[in-house]
Amino acid sequence: MVAKPVIDIDLIVEDPTQEEKYVPALERLGYDLTVREPNFYQHRCLRLAKPRVNLHVFGLDCPEHIRHIWFRDWLREHPEDCERYIAAKNC
């Protein structure tokens, strides 16, 4: 599905607060840690410039990651909603 020029990826780790276990390897690949949201499921976001990627880091069984999967599956099964999503993201 092509919806916007940014790739969103969820990375699931055992404990997002243990940044030393995953951030250095991602920084070596060119990612920058840009967001820490301890009050939102310990969410972290790292960004890559080229290609433009938002790498969202969540813990195991995080409801937000599960919501992302449900949303992806919904768009795959409902082409009319998928078209609306694409139109909204390309504004």
Side-chain angles (χ1 to χ4, degrees), residues 39-55:
N39 295 327
F40 185 68
Y41 308 111
Q42 292 298 332
H43 172 247
R44 306 298 195 263
C45 186
L46 295 95
R47 295 205 174 130
L48 183 66
K50 282 197 172 188
R52 183 68 173 81
V53 175
N54 292 331
L55 181 63

PDB file of all heavy atoms in Angstrom, residues 39-55:
ATOM      1  N   ASN A  39       5.139   7.771  29.041  1.00  0.00           N
ATOM      2  CA  ASN A  39       3.730   7.654  29.432  1.00  0.00           C
ATOM      3  C   ASN A  39       2.855   7.041  28.340  1.00  0.00           C
ATOM      4  O   ASN A  39       1.654   6.916  28.519  1.00  0.00           O
ATOM      5  CB  ASN A  39       3.171   9.016  29.829  1.00  0.00           C
ATOM      6  CG  ASN A  39       3.837   9.544  31.067  1.00  0.00           C
ATOM      7  OD1 ASN A  39       4.215   8.785  31.956  1.00  0.00           O
ATOM      8  ND2 ASN A  39       4.016  10.846  31.141  1.00  0.00           N
ATOM      9  N   PHE A  40       3.450   6.685  27.217  1.00  0.00           N
ATOM     10  CA  PHE A  40       2.709   6.068  26.115  1.00  0.00           C
ATOM     11  C   PHE A  40       3.362   4.727  25.794  1.00  0.00           C
ATOM     12  O   PHE A  40       4.073   4.571  24.804  1.00  0.00           O
ATOM     13  CB  PHE A  40       2.682   6.984  24.889  1.00  0.00           C
ATOM     14  CG  PHE A  40       1.837   6.481  23.761  1.00  0.00           C
ATOM     15  CD1 PHE A  40       0.462   6.406  23.881  1.00  0.00           C
ATOM     16  CD2 PHE A  40       2.421   6.068  22.574  1.00  0.00           C
ATOM     17  CE1 PHE A  40      -0.317   5.934  22.835  1.00  0.00           C
ATOM     18  CE2 PHE A  40       1.649   5.592  21.519  1.00  0.00           C
ATOM     19  CZ  PHE A  40       0.275   5.531  21.661  1.00  0.00           C
ATOM     20  N   TYR A  41       3.170   3.758  26.676  1.00  0.00           N
ATOM     21  CA  TYR A  41       3.685   2.394  26.499  1.00  0.00           C
ATOM     22  C   TYR A  41       5.208   2.342  26.348  1.00  0.00           C
ATOM     23  O   TYR A  41       5.743   1.476  25.671  1.00  0.00           O
ATOM     24  CB  TYR A  41       3.027   1.707  25.294  1.00  0.00           C
ATOM     25  CG  TYR A  41       1.533   1.743  25.308  1.00  0.00           C
ATOM     26  CD1 TYR A  41       0.823   2.501  24.391  1.00  0.00           C
ATOM     27  CD2 TYR A  41       0.818   1.026  26.268  1.00  0.00           C
ATOM     28  CE1 TYR A  41      -0.557   2.531  24.406  1.00  0.00           C
ATOM     29  CE2 TYR A  41      -0.565   1.057  26.293  1.00  0.00           C
ATOM     30  CZ  TYR A  41      -1.252   1.812  25.358  1.00  0.00           C
ATOM     31  OH  TYR A  41      -2.627   1.847  25.371  1.00  0.00           O
ATOM     32  N   GLN A  42       5.910   3.305  26.930  1.00  0.00           N
ATOM     33  CA  GLN A  42       7.372   3.394  26.807  1.00  0.00           C
ATOM     34  C   GLN A  42       7.817   3.490  25.342  1.00  0.00           C
ATOM     35  O   GLN A  42       8.901   3.055  24.971  1.00  0.00           O
ATOM     36  CB  GLN A  42       8.053   2.207  27.504  1.00  0.00           C
ATOM     37  CG  GLN A  42       7.922   2.199  28.996  1.00  0.00           C
ATOM     38  CD  GLN A  42       8.581   3.420  29.649  1.00  0.00           C
ATOM     39  OE1 GLN A  42       9.524   4.003  29.133  1.00  0.00           O
ATOM     40  NE2 GLN A  42       8.052   3.809  30.800  1.00  0.00           N
ATOM     41  N   HIS A  43       6.983   4.102  24.530  1.00  0.00           N
ATOM     42  CA  HIS A  43       7.260   4.252  23.096  1.00  0.00           C
ATOM     43  C   HIS A  43       8.540   5.029  22.858  1.00  0.00           C
ATOM     44  O   HIS A  43       8.813   6.025  23.512  1.00  0.00           O
ATOM     45  CB  HIS A  43       6.077   4.972  22.439  1.00  0.00           C
ATOM     46  CG  HIS A  43       6.299   5.349  21.019  1.00  0.00           C
ATOM     47  ND1 HIS A  43       6.393   6.660  20.630  1.00  0.00           N
ATOM     48  CD2 HIS A  43       6.432   4.611  19.894  1.00  0.00           C
ATOM     49  CE1 HIS A  43       6.558   6.708  19.316  1.00  0.00           C
ATOM     50  NE2 HIS A  43       6.593   5.481  18.846  1.00  0.00           N
ATOM     51  N   ARG A  44       9.310   4.538  21.906  1.00  0.00           N
ATOM     52  CA  ARG A  44      10.473   5.243  21.383  1.00  0.00           C
ATOM     53  C   ARG A  44      10.290   5.332  19.875  1.00  0.00           C
ATOM     54  O   ARG A  44       9.691   4.459  19.260  1.00  0.00           O
ATOM     55  CB  ARG A  44      11.786   4.501  21.666  1.00  0.00           C
ATOM     56  CG  ARG A  44      12.054   4.135  23.131  1.00  0.00           C
ATOM     57  CD  ARG A  44      12.163   5.374  23.996  1.00  0.00           C
ATOM     58  NE  ARG A  44      12.742   5.113  25.301  1.00  0.00           N
ATOM     59  CZ  ARG A  44      12.058   4.921  26.418  1.00  0.00           C
ATOM     60  NH1 ARG A  44      10.732   4.912  26.400  1.00  0.00           N
ATOM     61  NH2 ARG A  44      12.659   4.753  27.573  1.00  0.00           N
ATOM     62  N   CYS A  45      10.829   6.391  19.290  1.00  0.00           N
ATOM     63  CA  CYS A  45      10.804   6.502  17.828  1.00  0.00           C
ATOM     64  C   CYS A  45      12.192   6.909  17.367  1.00  0.00           C
ATOM     65  O   CYS A  45      12.784   7.854  17.891  1.00  0.00           O
ATOM     66  CB  CYS A  45       9.768   7.516  17.356  1.00  0.00           C
ATOM     67  SG  CYS A  45       9.584   7.541  15.552  1.00  0.00           S
ATOM     68  N   LEU A  46      12.690   6.180  16.397  1.00  0.00           N
ATOM     69  CA  LEU A  46      13.950   6.510  15.754  1.00  0.00           C
ATOM     70  C   LEU A  46      13.649   6.833  14.301  1.00  0.00           C
ATOM     71  O   LEU A  46      12.750   6.249  13.698  1.00  0.00           O
ATOM     72  CB  LEU A  46      14.932   5.341  15.836  1.00  0.00           C
ATOM     73  CG  LEU A  46      15.391   4.989  17.248  1.00  0.00           C
ATOM     74  CD1 LEU A  46      14.544   3.876  17.834  1.00  0.00           C
ATOM     75  CD2 LEU A  46      16.850   4.620  17.260  1.00  0.00           C
ATOM     76  N   ARG A  47      14.409   7.772  13.746  1.00  0.00           N
ATOM     77  CA  ARG A  47      14.156   8.183  12.364  1.00  0.00           C
ATOM     78  C   ARG A  47      15.384   7.965  11.509  1.00  0.00           C
ATOM     79  O   ARG A  47      16.511   8.147  11.961  1.00  0.00           O
ATOM     80  CB  ARG A  47      13.752   9.656  12.327  1.00  0.00           C
ATOM     81  CG  ARG A  47      12.427   9.846  13.028  1.00  0.00           C
ATOM     82  CD  ARG A  47      11.691  11.050  12.560  1.00  0.00           C
ATOM     83  NE  ARG A  47      10.375  11.049  13.183  1.00  0.00           N
ATOM     84  CZ  ARG A  47       9.848  12.078  13.815  1.00  0.00           C
ATOM     85  NH1 ARG A  47      10.525  13.197  13.906  1.00  0.00           N
ATOM     86  NH2 ARG A  47       8.648  11.993  14.330  1.00  0.00           N
ATOM     87  N   LEU A  48      15.114   7.595  10.279  1.00  0.00           N
ATOM     88  CA  LEU A  48      16.147   7.427   9.261  1.00  0.00           C
ATOM     89  C   LEU A  48      15.804   8.406   8.144  1.00  0.00           C
ATOM     90  O   LEU A  48      14.631   8.521   7.752  1.00  0.00           O
ATOM     91  CB  LEU A  48      16.139   5.987   8.749  1.00  0.00           C
ATOM     92  CG  LEU A  48      17.197   5.601   7.729  1.00  0.00           C
ATOM     93  CD1 LEU A  48      18.595   5.658   8.343  1.00  0.00           C
ATOM     94  CD2 LEU A  48      16.917   4.200   7.184  1.00  0.00           C
ATOM     95  N   ALA A  49      16.821   9.090   7.615  1.00  0.00           N
ATOM     96  CA  ALA A  49      16.566  10.115   6.603  1.00  0.00           C
ATOM     97  C   ALA A  49      16.296   9.530   5.219  1.00  0.00           C
ATOM     98  O   ALA A  49      15.369   9.957   4.534  1.00  0.00           O
ATOM     99  CB  ALA A  49      17.740  11.087   6.539  1.00  0.00           C
ATOM    100  N   LYS A  50      17.108   8.571   4.782  1.00  0.00           N
ATOM    101  CA  LYS A  50      16.944   8.002   3.443  1.00  0.00           C
ATOM    102  C   LYS A  50      17.096   6.504   3.497  1.00  0.00           C
ATOM    103  O   LYS A  50      18.170   6.033   3.876  1.00  0.00           O
ATOM    104  CB  LYS A  50      17.978   8.584   2.488  1.00  0.00           C
ATOM    105  CG  LYS A  50      17.617   9.954   2.023  1.00  0.00           C
ATOM    106  CD  LYS A  50      18.419  10.318   0.810  1.00  0.00           C
ATOM    107  CE  LYS A  50      17.897  11.624   0.247  1.00  0.00           C
ATOM    108  NZ  LYS A  50      18.467  11.953  -1.009  1.00  0.00           N
ATOM    109  N   PRO A  51      16.078   5.762   3.116  1.00  0.00           N
ATOM    110  CA  PRO A  51      14.733   6.255   2.858  1.00  0.00           C
ATOM    111  C   PRO A  51      14.123   6.776   4.152  1.00  0.00           C
ATOM    112  O   PRO A  51      14.548   6.412   5.246  1.00  0.00           O
ATOM    113  CB  PRO A  51      13.988   5.016   2.348  1.00  0.00           C
ATOM    114  CG  PRO A  51      14.679   3.871   3.000  1.00  0.00           C
ATOM    115  CD  PRO A  51      16.121   4.290   3.120  1.00  0.00           C
ATOM    116  N   ARG A  52      13.112   7.599   4.039  1.00  0.00           N
ATOM    117  CA  ARG A  52      12.483   8.212   5.216  1.00  0.00           C
ATOM    118  C   ARG A  52      11.719   7.145   5.972  1.00  0.00           C
ATOM    119  O   ARG A  52      10.745   6.582   5.480  1.00  0.00           O
ATOM    120  CB  ARG A  52      11.559   9.336   4.767  1.00  0.00           C
ATOM    121  CG  ARG A  52      10.896  10.100   5.877  1.00  0.00           C
ATOM    122  CD  ARG A  52      11.920  10.925   6.687  1.00  0.00           C
ATOM    123  NE  ARG A  52      11.232  11.775   7.626  1.00  0.00           N
ATOM    124  CZ  ARG A  52      10.784  11.350   8.804  1.00  0.00           C
ATOM    125  NH1 ARG A  52      10.966  10.115   9.186  1.00  0.00           N
ATOM    126  NH2 ARG A  52      10.157  12.179   9.609  1.00  0.00           N
ATOM    127  N   VAL A  53      12.189   6.846   7.212  1.00  0.00           N
ATOM    128  CA  VAL A  53      11.600   5.793   8.031  1.00  0.00           C
ATOM    129  C   VAL A  53      11.360   6.314   9.440  1.00  0.00           C
ATOM    130  O   VAL A  53      12.215   7.001  10.012  1.00  0.00           O
ATOM    131  CB  VAL A  53      12.543   4.557   8.114  1.00  0.00           C
ATOM    132  CG1 VAL A  53      11.988   3.510   9.067  1.00  0.00           C
ATOM    133  CG2 VAL A  53      12.784   3.967   6.742  1.00  0.00           C
ATOM    134  N   ASN A  54      10.201   5.995   9.982  1.00  0.00           N
ATOM    135  CA  ASN A  54       9.919   6.147  11.408  1.00  0.00           C
ATOM    136  C   ASN A  54       9.898   4.745  11.999  1.00  0.00           C
ATOM    137  O   ASN A  54       9.049   3.934  11.631  1.00  0.00           O
ATOM    138  CB  ASN A  54       8.556   6.797  11.653  1.00  0.00           C
ATOM    139  CG  ASN A  54       8.520   8.239  11.223  1.00  0.00           C
ATOM    140  OD1 ASN A  54       9.518   8.937  11.232  1.00  0.00           O
ATOM    141  ND2 ASN A  54       7.349   8.694  10.827  1.00  0.00           N
ATOM    142  N   LEU A  55      10.846   4.466  12.880  1.00  0.00           N
ATOM    143  CA  LEU A  55      10.936   3.160  13.512  1.00  0.00           C
ATOM    144  C   LEU A  55      10.381   3.282  14.929  1.00  0.00           C
ATOM    145  O   LEU A  55      11.000   3.884  15.797  1.00  0.00           O
ATOM    146  CB  LEU A  55      12.393   2.681  13.539  1.00  0.00           C
ATOM    147  CG  LEU A  55      12.656   1.320  14.151  1.00  0.00           C
ATOM    148  CD1 LEU A  55      11.961   0.225  13.347  1.00  0.00           C
ATOM    149  CD2 LEU A  55      14.148   1.063  14.225  1.00  0.00           C
TER     150      LEU A  55
END
